[in-house]
Amino acid sequence: MTLSAPPPALHLSGVSKSYGGQVALQGVCLDVQPGEFVGLLGPNGAGKSTLFQICTGLFAPDAGQVQLFGLEYGKNSSVILGQLGIVFQTRSLDADTTVRANLRFFGGLFGLFGRRLKERVIAVAAMMDIEPLLDKPVRSLSGGNQRRAEIARALLPQPKVLLLDEPTTGLDANARRNLVAHVRGIVATTGLAVLWATHLVDEVADADRIALLIRGEVKAVMPPAALIAHAGAADLTEAYFNLTDMKRPT
């Protein structure tokens, strides 16, 4: 008897979405495996945010399907959302309260209370290296630490898939590098599946694979080195500009 392979953590098959006559996504196919860090790379307007809204169940696709561990939205929505951590591009923490208060509030929304909530707050703060900041107002933190707090919030219910939509918006280069490295470390130690959307090539240079999204279509899904070879380029930045028909800044 042959055993079938377990389903991917995240599976997109033929996902399409239009608004009026404007096509936002067209036949997107992509898998993310447990323990894999996949970069969703594409210019602004490529459809990255629309894809994330569909992956999180906020929008329904016009065609195609989204599955988490073989489950589709609909009757399985609550189970899927319980396995999903989400960080959107727009920041959503209460800036006037402390990091701990934010985490406790959102933990309650996830069904965490009492001792279990306290333990999870401490655990995610340790994972994101923000324990000394727990009792500081969010407003007083650097942009990078605010983003760490948002990712900590997404990790509270111990999701199996983490979706990050342009999570480094507004951060300087050093803060961006540190945040990417930190999330990569979490993937390596927990087996979390991560889909990281960005238009910045350097953020996904060390990804396990890159999904190149151009005008709503996935043009390639491959490791960075393979993408460079595929584009006949000297480096990943050149590959990106070659494959997107964009001019590389001089």
Side-chain angles (χ1 to χ4, degrees):
M1 182 178 69
T2 58
L3 298 177
S4 59
L10 176 66
H11 172 71
L12 308 177
S13 176
V15 173
S16 298
K17 184 71 178 178
S18 296
Y19 302 98
Q22 183 175 356
V23 176
L25 296 171
Q26 186 171 342
V28 171
C29 296
L30 176 65
D31 287 347
V32 183
Q33 302 294 337
E36 187 178 33
F37 183 104
V38 174
L40 182 66
L41 178 64
N44 292 328
K48 299 188 298 296
S49 291
T50 298
L51 187 62
F52 269 56
Q53 288 162 337
I54 290 173
C55 286
T56 57
L58 291 176
F59 293 165
D62 298 334
Q65 62 178 201
V66 178
Q67 296 181 345
L68 260 74
F69 296 97
L71 300 177
E72 293 184 50
Y73 279 103
K75 64 181 180 181
N76 299 308
S77 293
S78 60
V79 176
I80 289 174
L81 291 174
Q83 299 180 38
L84 197 61
I86 309 162
V87 177
F88 287 115
Q89 185 173 351
T90 302
R91 301 185 185 188
S92 56
L93 293 177
D94 185 343
D96 294 318
T97 59
T98 66
V99 173
R100 190 189 304 273
N102 270 277
L103 294 179
R104 289 182 63 84
F105 173 76
F106 282 99
L109 298 180
F110 293 136
L112 299 169
F113 299 98
R115 180 177 178 181
R116 178 61 176 154
L117 174 57
K118 183 177 180 179
E119 290 174 346
R120 288 302 301 153
V121 168
I122 293 172
V124 297
M127 288 177 72
M128 294 308 300
D129 198 22
I130 56 170
E131 303 115 297
L133 308 177
L134 278 173
D135 295 311
K136 293 183 179 295
V138 170
R139 190 181 302 280
S140 70
L141 306 185
S142 67
N145 283 330
Q146 288 186 28
R147 272 312 202 188
R148 286 179 180 242
E150 285 198 286
I151 295 173
R153 180 190 66 188
L155 294 172
L156 274 169
Q158 294 181 286
K160 296 180 180 178
V161 179
L162 181 62
L163 305 178
L164 300 110
D165 184 14
E166 302 272 4
T168 64
T169 298
L171 304 187
D172 61 39
N174 189 54
R176 289 194 295 107
R177 282 193 298 271
N178 288 340
L179 191 61
V180 172
H182 203 92
V183 173
R184 288 285 282 149
I186 291 173
V187 170
T189 57
T190 66
L192 186 67
V194 169
L195 183 62
W196 178 294
T198 184
H199 64 279
L200 300 170
V201 174
D202 64 301
E203 290 187 3
V204 293
D206 294 324
D208 296 307
R209 290 184 298 142
I210 294 173
L212 190 62
L213 186 68
I214 309 297
R215 291 183 288 276
E217 295 185 64
V218 171
K219 297 295 188 181
V221 185
M222 54 187 68
L227 191 64
I228 293 169
H230 174 71
D235 56 35
L236 188 58
T237 300
E238 183 179 344
Y240 175 63
F241 284 104
N242 286 353
L243 294 171
T244 57
D245 296 323
M246 296 170 61
K247 288 187 177 181
R248 184 170 184 170
T250 56

